Every structure is written in structure tokens, then in C-alpha cells.
Amino acid sequence: MNEKALHYWNTYWGENKQPKEVSAWSFGGDPDGLADLVIKGVKTATCSGYLFYELEQEPLPAQGQYSIVLNSKEEPVAIIRISKVEVMAMNEVSEEFAFAEGEGDRSYQHWYSVHKQFFTKELQKIGKEFSDDMLLVLEQFELLHIKR
């Protein structure tokens, strides 16, 4: 976590007891646009490829965890808390989840098209191919604070 994110986190909690764990990250693809959707309350979910957690030997996110959302300049813009995590094949994701991601016209078709394009590109970087049944880590979250 960078210094700005740490300062924001500490300021948010003030004298209150802080949770032990927090992560700071930016969204892939369009960090600023997606962070803006979070700030507006439109984006309340995100997903990532399960394979990437395995390759990076990173633990999966868990309900109750906190995150600091960063923009493309690695500046903190908001604090969120994960309310639900599921692992599911991409072709089994619901229309409700696609809507909660808040992107484009919020339709399943838009969600699927954009995510297929994104994952195809990311998988090619590591010599893998996209498949409709690739596992995704689906996260739903609540917006706790917007940095002003």
C-alpha cells in the first residue's frame, strides 16, 4: 500500500480501532472510469479471474474485507467493504451481477462482451486462452467512504 492510501486509511479510522487487513488496488481496464462508478454508487460489484489468484499465490478476497480503491495515478478515491464473494464460471454469472458491475448499459450482453475482451487479452499475456467456463471470483461490495 502506498503512502497516500495508508494516510487516507488512517485518517478514515481516526482514533477508532482499525481492521487488521486492508488492500489498496485499482480496477483493470479503466481504473478512473470504474472508480468513478463506485463513487457514484453505480458499481457495487467486480470480478476477476480465479486463475490469476492461483498464479500469483494470492488468497481469494473474503466477506468483510476492506479495500481502498485507487485511481490510475495510484491515489485513493474510496473505501469499500466486501459483502459477498463467490467463485463461478463466467457463463453462469447472473444478469443481476452484471447489472451490479455498473458498466455500459448494465446489460448482461455488454458485461459479457467487455469481460470476454478483457480476459482474452489478460490470458494471452500468460499464454492461456479464454473459455466461456473460466472461473471468476465475483465480489459484491458496499461503499463506505468517498475521499473528498
Side-chain angles (χ1 to χ4, degrees):
M1 180 179 327
N2 68 37
E3 199 171 305
K4 288 179 184 178
L6 182 59
H7 177 73
Y8 174 45
W9 179 250
N10 289 333
T11 301
Y12 172 73
W13 287 100
E15 298 298 317
N16 297 314
K17 184 176 179 180
Q18 297 181 12
K20 291 181 182 182
E21 290 186 40
V22 62
S23 59
W25 46 267
S26 58
F27 290 101
D30 179 16
D32 294 330
L34 297 175
D36 189 51
L37 291 175
V38 170
I39 290 167
K40 290 177 179 173
V42 173
K43 183 172 184 62
T44 59
T46 192
C47 67
S48 49
Y50 181 84
L51 174 66
F52 299 106
Y53 287 95
E54 285 185 325
L55 292 174
E56 295 171 15
Q57 298 180 342
E58 289 287 327
L60 294 180
Q63 182 177 345
Q65 286 181 332
Y66 293 83
S67 295
I68 300 168
V69 177
L70 305 174
N71 63 19
S72 62
K73 297 176 185 172
E74 305 247 334
E75 299 166 333
V77 297
I79 296 173
I80 60 174
R81 182 175 48 219
I82 299 171
S83 55
K84 185 176 181 181
V85 178
E86 294 179 277
V87 176
M88 178 181 301
M90 184 163 168
N91 58 6
E92 294 177 4
V93 171
S94 70
E95 290 184 20
E96 292 80 18
F97 185 86
F99 184 84
E101 281 233 30
E103 300 172 34
D105 65 4
R106 300 180 84 175
S107 70
Y108 179 83
Q109 292 75 21
H110 177 82
W111 176 88
Y112 191 89
S113 173
V114 167
H115 285 79
K116 180 179 180 179
Q117 183 179 13
F118 175 78
F119 287 125
T120 297
K121 181 177 147 189
E122 294 303 307
L123 288 165
Q124 284 176 345
K125 291 178 185 177
I126 58 170
K128 304 279 185 188
E129 289 187 21
F130 173 82
S131 69
D132 288 335
D133 62 352
M134 74 176 280
L135 290 179
L136 299 183
V137 179
L138 309 179
E139 298 176 56
Q140 294 179 328
F141 55 82
E142 58 185 323
L143 175 63
L144 298 180
H145 189 263
I146 300 168
K147 187 173 187 303
R148 301 280 181 202

